[in-house]
Amino acid sequence: MQTISVDPVTRIEGHLKIEVEVDGGKVVSAKSSGTLFRGIELILQGHDPRDAQELVQRICGVCPVGHAAASAFALDDAFGIEPPDNGRILRNLILGANYIQSDILHFYHLAALDYVKAPDTILPLAPRYEGDYRLPDDINAAAVDHYLKALEMRKKAHELCAIFGGRAPAPRSIVPGGVTEVVDAEKILHFKYRLAELIDFIDNIYVPDVLAVADVYKDWLDIGRGCQNMLSFGCYPQKDGSRFIKEGTYIDGKDGRFDPDQVTEDVKYSWYKDDIDKSPKEAVVAPDHEKANAYSWMKAPRYEGKVLEVGPLARMWVDKDPTIRGFGEKAFSVMGRHAARALELQKIAHAMNDWVMELKPGEPTCAPHELPKEATGVGTVDAVRGALGHWIKIEGGRIAKYNCVVPTTWNTSPRDDKDQPGPVEQALVGTEVKDANNPIELVRIVRSFDPCIACAVHVITPNRNVGAFRVY
Ligand code: NFE
């Protein structure tokens, strides 16, 4: 038995440690450890509830809009308000712009170098682990060019986000009841102009590149299966109350409805006190960095006690996308995740082009609210990396409890109270590792989930302890 430790896994957002036991050349057990603590829920206690959507965006620079949206939904719920049509559409457009930026980032700047051989002359692109590079020379050269072009596209996606978000990242305009930005013809025009260029990139470069890689690396449709249970909270609310990407579950081979009350978080193997409430409605995070057998700062989110994968593959599967369902069980794989992410983005970007034309200049973008003394709220949305839920409890007009159950916590969670490994841990088991000194197979699997440990966890002292922090 040999132990391979990848710490940290690079080219993901944040710090993740992966440790696997290999026997006879195959992974027989895996541990995924978040090595940072996220304290934002504690910071929120005592604040005016309307601070939440601002503060939660500081969880992460990659998906601040997801957190703003989940928080605004939770506040809408707690305040008993709904955005007017313009507000609903603007939130969708701001979130969509963030999807475009983030998915392009993931493929070109985080995952691609697992499959694309960077020229030796561009040293910053040299990956830690070498892949079995197989792309034909012309496709490989084009992909390197697209790496650079993708930087430009991400800048444009940030600009797109800022048109109605006020700025990017961490837009200021999403608030309870809608969006503060007003709608006029000039902004609609700016939005359409930039979106057209991004759609052109997605249709003619991003999707073809991903499909070309998937075609050449077909064997990766059989690697990294994972738990094969899927969860989507859905996203992009429509006028009729449905969501453009549907919410739902796929558990043990059956489609099901989503009920936020079935979400719990276990802490048996997490550095938290064991008596934390399992429900995100009631939990108050209590770190315990000396806990025996714990190996992660992440909790273990579960749905009806089951292990579920979240993210673009889960959304496309739950939404019964014909192409992704057409893959059959091969969709549950490294290449299945990459393909689902690209095809979903194409669908969303084209829909955004229609949504922006539904805006009505001069009409309200935000509903008024009164701050309740006592209330609870839940906001669920699919952020780019998957199902994201925010739960708020208001007492005396201030935040008494706040909990974020975050996509990467679902995917890279440690074992739960029943000792069930998390989705990434399950996806690693059974993988053949050809060279223990170059475990490219492990990082390809991890990166297919596009983990963001910044979202999942936050603060650390040099000896890995959570200490006392004083702000002057
Ligand atoms: Ni920091 Fe995030 C997204 C959220 S993932 S990127 O998308 O929520 O855990």
Side-chain angles (χ1 to χ4, degrees), residues 340-409:
R341 190 173 290 111
L343 294 173
E344 181 197 54
L345 189 68
Q346 189 172 38
K347 193 162 150 176
I348 291 169
H350 281 271
M352 287 166 67
N353 205 30
D354 297 334
W355 298 339
V356 69
M357 295 312 288
E358 292 168 14
L359 287 170
K360 299 205 173 65
E363 292 204 1
T365 55
C366 196
H369 66 266
E370 277 178 28
L371 182 61
K373 280 261 171 277
E374 318 289 321
T376 56
V378 54
T380 57
V381 65
D382 252 67
V384 192
R385 281 160 196 74
L388 170 65
H390 283 204
W391 280 259
I392 187 169
K393 186 173 204 173
I394 300 168
E395 285 173 2
R398 312 300 282 188
I399 297 174
K401 289 182 179 173
Y402 202 100
N403 273 302
C404 312
V405 182
V406 173
T408 294
T409 322

Side-chain angles (χ1 to χ4, degrees), residues 13 59-63 66-67 98 102 383-388 406-409 450-456:
E13 294 97 351
I59 288 175
C60 176
V62 180
C63 67
H67 288 289
N98 183 228
S102 180
V384 192
R385 281 160 196 74
L388 170 65
V406 173
T408 294
T409 322
D450 189 9
C452 172
I453 317 305
C455 267

Side-chain angles (χ1 to χ4, degrees), residues 173-199:
S173 68
I174 295 176
V175 291
V179 168
T180 54
E181 193 59 64
V182 293
V183 172
D184 61 32
E186 194 182 341
K187 284 189 194 130
I188 293 176
L189 212 64
H190 277 305
F191 197 93
K192 273 197 85 78
Y193 171 77
R194 280 179 179 75
L195 181 60
E197 204 175 343
L198 288 159
I199 287 178

